[in-house]
Amino acid sequence: MIPTRFRLYWQKYKTSLVYTALLSLAAAGFWALAAAVTARVVNAVFLEGRNFMETAPSILVLFLCLCCSQLVSYWQNIRQDKLAVRVITTVRHQLHTAGLRKTAADNDTTLLQLSCDACELLAEDFRSILPLLLGLIIGLPFYLLLFAFTDYLSALICLATLPIAPILLYLLSGITKKRSAAAWENMQSLTQGFYELLQTLPLLKLFAQEQAHRESARQLISNFAAAALGALRLAFLSTFVLELITTLSIALVAVVIGLRLLEGRLAFSTAFFILLLLPEFYRPLRQSGAVFHTLMNVNTAAAEIETYLAAADAPPALSGHKASLQVPPAIRLANITFTYPERNSPTLQNLNLTFPAGQITLLTGNSGCGKSTLLDILACLQPPDSGTIYLNDQCLLTMHPDSQQKLIAYAPQTPHLYQGSLQENLLLLQQAPPERCHQALRLAQLTEWFSTLPQGLDTPLGAGGQPLSQGQLKRLGLARLILQNSPIMLLDEPTSGLDRQLEEKIIRTLSVLAKQRTLIINSHHPALFELADNIIDLNDYLPKEE
């Protein structure tokens, strides 16, 4: 059965799929022509006794047909690889966009597995499943028509043997689907187990428990290997049975052709032509055994991706919107309490604060008093244990994630550098013209550094790319903030690690950004105290020890 997702591919990549189908038909045509010329040359040389000079034109045509067939197949493989890359890129983009809607507290290892393993499996749609489907939909009817016009009896035998393979695959589909789902579930358990093991490794070594968890990790690997081998064993069995069926079918047609050839009821060139095309006719059926196992794995991976995207796109249980919200809004915290999972005492407890609209509020206090944690909560990266955040009179926590992202921009203390171009690192899946990127770099005081880049906005950053100092990375985070252009901006230590002259320039940029925006800055630098309209010392709000 053709997967339903191919209908989505058809809508989005209609032209490319039609072009690939035409290439498949052309390859089949060249191969059939090569078989016809081969049969003619063999008949002329061995039965009619013609010499090389008489058959040279036919041999030249045969050579050209084989070259054209290989070139068309090569170009078809390139097109399929390009389609696979485009699909992987699109799906990963959707997954990462959906992942951004989740909170940092989710510890979502599923996103990592789907982005790597599942997306690579999804590429098999174009690398192995699509060629098989084209062979079944285009190749089989094409060769069957050739057989019908050449020798109707051989065509009838081929037509009679065709349903055997689909019936066998249908009988195996239920078992293979269960085995593939079991292997996928074990892979998820293995990924989650290793993630937890790496997260808690220092603690395990501290309490001398690494040996016990080594055994549990070994058991996870054993479970996954058993499930994967069970699915592979079934795939090998189905492949063997299909190979046997197709071999017997070819043998049956060959025996009938041989008997008729001996009786003089069939010409040698016709018989040889059919025998040359029989392996190509049955090739999609032979391949379906191996590809069928891949199809089950791809179906399971695609179902996991669809479930993840559907869950991310689903509206939250509580409704909220920003349609009538006056911007820039005032922010009010009502009884906010937050405790990290690995701690017993709360970092923030019954916190009640107000950040006036259109003003700069400076958060200060000793290290560990919860300044960065509070910014994470305001940015909706960490959900509070209890309490509510209001933007004017609307609850921030019940708003749709898209509304939250449009309202709030956050520059963390250490911005993450992604492996990609400078423009991709600035926009982070947004759309903006290069002129806005240049303006953001100028306001973030990165113009001098940008002028030294060899490829401008296309300069690669991250692993293997252009290196950045901590100060440059911090200013890159500020440039991202500028490009988001949100009415609420949160900045965590925006001037730390900068010299005094550069700090003064960044402060001037912040004063420009503050117009018609609500700015909340976490810092203990004296220069920012003069910029702030309000100063909140979180030391005064620390949880009281019992």
Side-chain angles (χ1 to χ4, degrees), residues 68-224:
C68 290
S69 175
Q70 293 303 311
L71 285 173
V72 169
S73 298
Y74 173 73
W75 184 244
Q76 183 182 359
N77 290 334
I78 290 178
R79 297 289 301 182
Q80 289 164 184
D81 286 339
K82 287 183 177 179
L83 272 173
V85 170
R86 288 166 64 185
V87 168
I88 288 177
T89 304
T90 302
V91 174
R92 280 181 176 157
H93 180 95
Q94 293 173 347
L95 286 170
H96 294 167
T97 303
L100 289 174
R101 296 174 184 169
K102 293 179 174 288
T103 64
D106 286 339
N107 278 338
D108 196 359
T109 57
T110 305
L111 178 60
L112 177 63
Q113 185 183 0
L114 293 179
S115 299
C116 297
D117 300 329
C119 284
E120 285 300 326
L121 273 175
L122 207 59
E124 293 299 322
D125 271 345
F126 295 97
R127 291 172 180 161
S128 58
I129 298 172
L130 179 62
L132 175 65
L133 289 176
L134 291 176
L136 293 171
I137 295 171
I138 295 176
L140 281 179
F142 176 75
Y143 290 125
L144 198 59
L145 282 174
L146 281 180
F147 294 160
F149 284 110
T150 306
D151 179 32
Y152 73 92
L153 185 57
S154 298
L156 287 175
I157 297 173
C158 291
L159 186 62
T161 57
L162 274 181
I164 300 176
I167 291 172
L168 175 66
L169 291 178
Y170 176 77
L171 294 175
L172 290 172
S173 62
I175 305 173
T176 305
K177 186 175 182 180
K178 292 178 182 177
R179 296 282 178 88
S180 299
W184 185 261
E185 289 174 5
N186 277 280
M187 182 182 288
Q188 286 183 315
S189 301
L190 183 66
T191 304
Q192 182 66 29
F194 272 118
Y195 177 80
E196 292 176 356
L197 186 62
L198 290 173
Q199 289 288 95
T200 59
L201 191 58
L203 191 62
L204 292 174
K205 292 183 72 67
L206 183 64
F207 288 93
Q209 291 295 315
E210 67 270 20
Q211 283 293 341
H213 280 73
R214 184 179 297 176
E215 291 300 322
S216 64
R218 189 176 287 116
Q219 186 61 42
L220 285 170
I221 295 172
S222 177
N223 292 341
F224 170 69

Side-chain angles (χ1 to χ4, degrees), residues 335-365:
N335 299 316
I336 292 294
T337 297
F338 179 81
T339 306
Y340 283 101
E342 63 272 14
R343 295 182 184 175
N344 295 324
S345 58
T347 303
L348 303 172
Q349 186 174 28
N350 296 327
L351 188 63
N352 293 278
L353 291 175
T354 299
F355 303 94
Q359 295 186 15
I360 301 175
T361 301
L362 183 71
L363 291 175
T364 187

Side-chain angles (χ1 to χ4, degrees), residues 516-536:
Q516 299 300 313
R517 289 186 180 89
T518 301
L519 257 67
I520 303 175
I521 304 173
N522 164 26
S523 180
H524 57 272
H525 283 223
L528 286 168
F529 280 69
E530 300 178 5
L531 178 69
D533 300 307
N534 309 284
I535 298 175
I536 297 176

